[in-house]
Amino acid sequence: DLLALDEILVSQGITAASDMGEFTDADYDSIFGLALQKGLRVRMTCYYMWDSVKDKKDFTIRKEEMDPARPYRLAGIKLIGDGSVSGRTAWCDRPYLGSDSEYGLPVASEEDFETALAFCRRCGCQLSIHAMGARAIDRALLHTAGQKPWLSDILPPGTPPVRIEHVAMPGLDAAGIPASVRAKEAGIAFVTQPPKWKAIWPISASPARRSAIRWPTGWPMASALPSVPMRRPPPGRRLPILSSVSRER
């Protein structure tokens, strides 16, 4: 229920959120239009799953629908590049622990990458790519780096045309250049999934994640984490959002 979620988010001081893709044939206009009529306060940015719309010949995202001034707006398309770390399906460049042949797997096809990219260029919208493992991240960069800017002028200057989401295990290319450096040079946003950082501490991670991760190179951001501020909520208080991204002692 969006209105119940709205209450929770506002109570935590969160005034903007993103819906990074519905796995159903949802119509965002009708869903969020009704929610706004009923009092939704949190500003929403939404992405359509490419699998859900790629066969709809009349589907488009109009310039005015991307306007950041709107309380609910469409940002672009979401493409699934691989699976998950905990499911051992994130597509990696080395096998998972305990296996010499389990590398995860790609999800989107080469055609999906090309057609989703063409759609985003045509409409001037963002392309968001879920990619957790090193091979999936490299594949996303291969398809998107070097592209000329295409975003609509209704968006703020400097908005990245491509977001690589849930980055977990970025690697190096043949020349030893980190994926993060290649992304930065191409103007591509890297978006990590902070709760995954907890997986570098076995005591804090689920058994599935502990069995999947190689330490410490699987988590290049590990050296920065000791400086991450941590706090516990007062007795009797609900855990704040911060708790989901903080380390546990």
Side-chain angles (χ1 to χ4, degrees):
D1 183 274
L2 283 174
L3 296 182
L5 176 62
D6 183 79
E7 288 291 339
I8 295 171
L9 294 178
V10 171
S11 74
Q12 298 291 327
I14 297 172
T15 59
S18 294
D19 187 327
M20 297 304 301
E22 267 292 334
F23 287 93
T24 62
D25 193 21
D27 175 9
Y28 280 134
D29 286 340
S30 60
I31 293 172
F32 286 100
L34 181 59
L36 286 167
Q37 290 178 25
K38 291 182 174 292
L40 182 72
R41 294 163 292 176
V42 173
R43 302 176 69 85
M44 297 296 301
T45 297
C46 302
Y47 294 76
Y48 272 103
M49 299 296 295
W50 186 235
D51 273 351
S52 298
V53 300
K54 65 182 181 182
D55 294 326
K56 296 180 178 180
K57 295 182 179 180
D58 59 344
F59 178 79
T60 190
I61 295 178
R62 298 185 299 276
K63 179 177 179 178
E64 59 270 21
E65 293 178 308
M66 293 183 273
D67 188 351
R70 295 181 60 185
Y72 140 71
R73 75 180 188 94
L74 296 178
I77 292 297
K78 179 72 175 285
L79 193 62
I80 304 298
D82 67 347
S84 68
V85 172
S86 57
R88 298 171 71 97
T89 52
W91 196 25
C92 302
D93 57 353
R94 295 183 296 162
Y96 285 92
L97 287 180
S99 171
D100 58 5
S101 60
E102 199 177 358
Y103 289 81
L105 71 161
V107 176
S109 67
E110 295 297 309
E111 182 182 9
D112 285 335
F113 269 93
E114 294 304 321
T115 55
L117 185 57
F119 175 91
C120 291
R121 291 188 66 87
R122 185 169 64 252
C123 294
C125 63
Q126 272 190 327
L127 175 60
S128 168
I129 305 170
H130 167 94
M132 300 190 78
R135 292 182 71 179
I137 294 166
D138 285 346
R139 185 188 188 207
L141 289 172
L142 177 65
H143 280 277
T144 57
Q147 298 278 340
K148 293 182 179 179
W150 69 75
L151 287 184
S152 168
D153 59 9
I154 202 170
L155 298 172
T159 300
V162 178
R163 294 165 52 106
I164 301 181
E165 311 278 354
H166 304 156
V167 170
M169 294 183 283
L172 308 175
D173 67 6
I177 301 174
S180 56
V181 172
R182 286 176 277 145
K184 181 179 180 180
E185 291 175 347
I188 294 171
F190 255 27
V191 186
T192 61
Q193 190 167 354
K196 303 291 185 201
W197 291 4
K198 290 164 54 177
I200 64 172
W201 280 276
I203 194 170
S204 302
S206 69
R209 290 197 181 118
R210 289 202 298 269
S211 68
I213 302 296
R214 290 182 179 274
W215 283 283
T217 55
W219 294 85
M221 42 297 246
S223 61
L225 284 179
S227 62
V228 173
M230 296 172 288
R231 76 174 183 215
R232 292 184 179 277
R237 294 289 299 276
R238 185 168 53 190
L239 289 174
I241 294 295
L242 177 63
S243 299
S244 70
V245 296
S246 298
R247 290 191 288 126
E248 297 174 351
R249 288 195 183 276

